[in-house]
Amino acid sequence: MPDQGNSHCIAMRKLKNEELDRLSVDQFKESPKNPVCLILDNVRSLNNVGAAFRTGDAFRVEKIFLCGITGTPPHRDIQKTALGATESVSWEYYPDILTLLPHLKTEGWLLIAIEQADQSISLLDFSVDPKAKYAFIFGNEVFGVQESVVKTCQNCLEIPQFGTKHSLNISVSIGVVLWDFISKYHRHP
């Protein structure tokens, strides 16, 4: 393992775009996806919606569901942060999340709210079943996931936090949860 200290420098260079082995939009659409989808419910910020698409593309989610007042593509402010990911990631809009959730349950998705709740599981203790499909639900930037939605879910996940705020921007939360899920999912043979 390379020395992490400051005493030795390792000669390295930044990769060029053409060295990153990126998929085309068509290749992405045909590629196998990870067994995970995102549900954004009443997310006000179009920049957060765009960031969800970009992060969803990075982690090859199956789909993004946009519910309630959550903005939908095409929109300039979504595109600004999505950087074209609205073209690669499959998405669907539902005016009411409570009509979507029973449908997903019957398809075998585990519904997991990302929320601070009395029975929530710390992300540190969350284990991934490699045979299951996960639907992570993210709520409004101010009010979080609706109580009625929390009651519909099989579990709540909570991101451990150690500062004074005990809240993260939704785009940051999506990145943390997806990275944790993907890193645990891909550890299984």
Side-chain angles (χ1 to χ4, degrees), residues 36-39 112 114 126 134-138 157 177-178 181:
V36 62
C37 69
L38 301 176
I39 302 171
I112 301 182
I114 310 305
F126 174 60
Y134 292 83
F136 294 123
I137 303 167
F138 298 86
L157 277 182
V177 169
L178 281 179
F181 172 80

Side-chain angles (χ1 to χ4, degrees), residues 137-159:
I137 303 167
F138 298 86
N140 179 271
E141 292 91 340
V142 175
F143 304 109
V145 178
Q146 301 173 59
E147 186 72 33
S148 58
V149 172
V150 168
K151 290 179 180 186
T152 305
C153 294
Q154 283 99 333
N155 278 310
C156 281
L157 277 182
E158 185 172 342
I159 301 169

Side-chain angles (χ1 to χ4, degrees), residues 43-188:
V43 173
R44 294 176 307 158
S45 166
L46 298 175
N47 291 322
N48 283 337
V49 174
F53 273 94
R54 191 167 165 188
T55 305
D57 176 281
F59 292 110
R60 262 198 234 179
V61 301
E62 260 190 49
K63 189 175 243 185
I64 296 178
F65 293 96
L66 307 170
C67 303
I69 66 165
T70 305
T72 60
H75 192 285
R76 182 175 46 105
D77 289 337
I78 293 173
Q79 294 305 106
K80 185 168 46 176
T81 49
L83 295 179
T86 57
E87 303 304 314
S88 56
V89 178
S90 176
W91 65 274
E92 208 171 321
Y93 174 75
Y94 278 78
D96 182 4
I97 189 173
L98 293 173
T99 61
L100 166 66
L101 298 182
H103 174 69
L104 291 176
K105 266 188 181 176
T106 61
E107 289 184 353
W109 290 90
L110 292 176
L111 305 179
I112 301 182
I114 310 305
E115 188 57 82
Q116 297 163 334
D118 61 350
Q119 303 283 324
S120 63
I121 300 167
S122 170
L123 207 55
L124 296 170
D125 299 322
F126 174 60
S127 58
V128 172
D129 177 354
K131 295 179 181 115
K133 301 186 302 183
Y134 292 83
F136 294 123
I137 303 167
F138 298 86
N140 179 271
E141 292 91 340
V142 175
F143 304 109
V145 178
Q146 301 173 59
E147 186 72 33
S148 58
V149 172
V150 168
K151 290 179 180 186
T152 305
C153 294
Q154 283 99 333
N155 278 310
C156 281
L157 277 182
E158 185 172 342
I159 301 169
Q161 297 168 58
F162 309 101
T164 61
K165 297 300 175 203
H166 289 277
S167 99
L168 293 167
N169 179 280
I170 185 174
S171 65
V172 172
S173 296
I174 290 169
V176 168
V177 169
L178 281 179
W179 169 249
D180 181 75
F181 172 80
I182 295 299
S183 64
K184 290 173 180 174
Y185 175 73
H186 285 283
R187 282 188 203 145
H188 295 281

Side-chain angles (χ1 to χ4, degrees), residues 28-46:
F28 181 94
K29 287 180 178 182
E30 293 179 20
S31 69
K33 306 298 182 287
N34 288 302
V36 62
C37 69
L38 301 176
I39 302 171
L40 307 184
D41 187 34
N42 292 322
V43 173
R44 294 176 307 158
S45 166
L46 298 175

